[in-house]
Amino acid sequence: MKKIILSIALILAVIIGCKTSSSSKDSKKLDITFEPKSNSTVSGTASFVENNGKVTFVANLAGLQPGVHAIHIHEKSDCSAADGSSAGGHWNPTFKKHGKWGIGEYHKGDIGNFTADEKGNGTITLTTDEWCIGCEDATKNILGKGLIVHQGADDFVTQPTGNAGGRVACSAIIK
């Protein structure tokens, strides 16, 4: 009788443990807010949502000059410099050349370009399995990095930055 009760208790513990771990480990969310840099009036928010091994990134920005702008993940979560330079260079944990996301070589931080409308509002979305929120893989973990919006478009060619111009907004990717 004691063995049966222990067996049932073990089975229940496994079932409950599986349900708890699958729901808590499969979904993570991080919301961040941009601050203006380089005397800009840029503001906005971004979110990172991790589900089943994929991260969906969405940024909504306002106060931009109408036109095309680049957005990149940078090495450091430091937005203290007036021009955003304290965030360092592009996040490149795999030591690749700068380029266009998903084509040839590119930095893990090379998100790409988006367009601000005539009112200065822009949105960009990216879903990838090349990032994670707080995992142990340093080549995928976005925590502790910075998110930078640039004044101009990324040309996807110029090394190592894409010639995207000044940094007009910054946010630390931290919990």
Side-chain angles (χ1 to χ4, degrees):
M1 183 68 162
K2 201 174 191 181
K3 285 184 180 181
I4 293 173
I5 292 171
L6 286 174
S7 295
I8 292 171
L10 180 60
I11 291 169
L12 285 174
V14 168
I15 291 170
I16 292 168
C18 288
K19 282 188 177 183
T20 303
S21 66
S22 66
S23 63
S24 65
K25 287 185 182 177
D26 288 350
S27 184
K28 297 177 187 175
K29 184 173 184 186
L30 180 62
D31 294 314
I32 59 176
T33 303
F34 287 98
E35 59 184 82
K37 293 294 167 187
S38 304
N39 297 314
S40 80
T41 59
V42 178
S43 63
T45 60
S47 67
F48 296 89
V49 178
E50 184 175 349
N51 263 324
N52 299 318
K54 290 189 177 186
V55 174
T56 297
F57 161 76
V58 179
N60 295 294
L61 293 134
L64 292 158
Q65 292 294 315
V68 181
H69 299 271
I71 187 167
H72 302 118
I73 295 177
H74 284 246
E75 300 169 313
K76 302 173 193 165
S77 62
D78 182 354
C79 294
S80 62
D83 64 356
S85 61
S86 52
H90 292 184
W91 177 48
N92 186 17
T94 54
F95 307 101
K96 304 286 185 185
K97 289 183 180 177
H98 175 75
K100 190 170 186 177
W101 187 272
I103 300 174
E105 285 193 30
Y106 55 93
H107 302 156
K108 294 264 183 124
D110 289 342
I111 297 171
N113 292 328
F114 67 98
T115 302
D117 64 18
E118 67 281 348
K119 293 180 181 179
N121 300 316
T123 299
I124 185 168
T125 301
L126 174 72
T127 299
T128 180
D129 63 358
E130 294 191 42
W131 296 342
C132 64
I133 301 172
C135 70
E136 307 246 341
D137 185 344
T139 67
K140 294 177 84 171
N141 188 2
I142 60 171
L143 286 182
K145 310 299 182 268
L147 192 58
I148 295 284
V149 178
H150 290 273
Q151 179 181 6
D154 188 326
D155 66 13
F156 305 116
V157 177
T158 304
Q159 298 300 320
T161 64
N163 197 31
R167 300 171 184 202
V168 296
C170 182
S171 183
I173 306 173
I174 55 176
K175 289 185 178 183

